[in-house]
Amino acid sequence: MFEKLKQLFADVDDASMEKMTLELVTAALLLEVSKADFQEDPAEIDKIRDILVQHFSVSLGDINAFIDEARSTASDSTSLYPFTRYINDNCNNIEKYQLVVALWEVALEDGRIDKYEDHLIRKISDLIYLPHSEFIRAKLSVMGNT
């Protein structure tokens, strides 16, 4: 019985991982940060659009549909695990650092870093095994640019 349950959960997990892409995972995590302070600021959403267009193959014409897809993916998920697992399986430390920089950029876009945003970024950094010194370096680099 337990083997059947394990297989059922493994099949569901594998199916959700198959549709994941780095762009989608990044967008979902950026959106999670944007709503961590219980306010989805339009400036933060614009920053997410900029990041996705600049760093990924998302075109300006497709960006709104892509963000809607990322929102749907994030709302369907019950945890950060599928996203952080994808990052751990597919990214090196430099890419993880760049992701955390992008998370800080979104959090700071409204002019302040809320304690919930800080907590969520710290949690994501821990889950992707980014060294704490790199987490701090990413935060300081973004705060130094404002």
Side-chain angles (χ1 to χ4, degrees):
M1 180 170 123
F2 289 115
E3 286 303 315
K4 286 185 182 183
L5 282 174
K6 242 188 343 186
Q7 184 61 41
L8 174 68
F9 288 122
D11 290 345
V12 169
D13 193 39
D14 289 343
S16 67
M17 290 301 284
E18 284 178 15
K19 70 177 187 170
M20 296 280 182
T21 63
L22 185 56
E23 292 92 345
L24 189 62
V25 167
T26 300
L29 291 173
L30 293 170
L31 287 166
E32 288 299 306
V33 168
S34 76
K35 64 182 186 177
D37 60 359
F38 305 104
Q39 302 173 24
E40 199 168 75
D41 190 295
E44 291 177 343
I45 301 303
D46 288 342
K47 183 65 173 180
I48 293 170
R49 284 187 184 100
D50 292 345
I51 290 168
L52 294 173
V53 168
Q54 260 184 335
H55 299 287
F56 297 104
S57 59
V58 182
S59 71
L60 280 173
D62 297 334
I63 192 68
N64 289 329
F66 185 76
I67 286 180
D68 289 342
E69 181 183 355
R71 267 197 186 104
S72 174
T73 301
S75 69
D76 288 348
S77 181
T78 57
S79 74
L80 296 171
Y81 176 74
F83 309 119
T84 58
R85 177 180 170 196
Y86 185 92
I87 296 295
N88 285 326
D89 289 348
N90 296 285
C91 296
N92 60 36
N93 271 358
I94 294 169
E95 294 163 326
K96 291 175 182 182
Y97 172 80
Q98 292 169 337
L99 169 64
V100 173
V101 167
L103 295 173
W104 283 122
E105 287 174 348
V106 169
L108 194 57
E109 188 62 26
D110 62 0
R112 64 183 185 82
I113 296 175
D114 184 83
K115 65 181 179 181
Y116 298 112
E117 293 169 328
D118 187 280
H119 174 75
L120 181 59
I121 297 169
R122 182 178 305 269
K123 183 177 181 178
I124 292 168
S125 294
D126 288 344
L127 291 171
I128 62 174
Y129 308 114
L130 187 71
H132 186 70
S133 60
E134 293 296 291
F135 163 81
I136 296 296
R137 186 169 71 96
K139 182 177 183 178
L140 292 176
S141 75
V142 171
M143 291 180 74
N145 290 336
T146 59

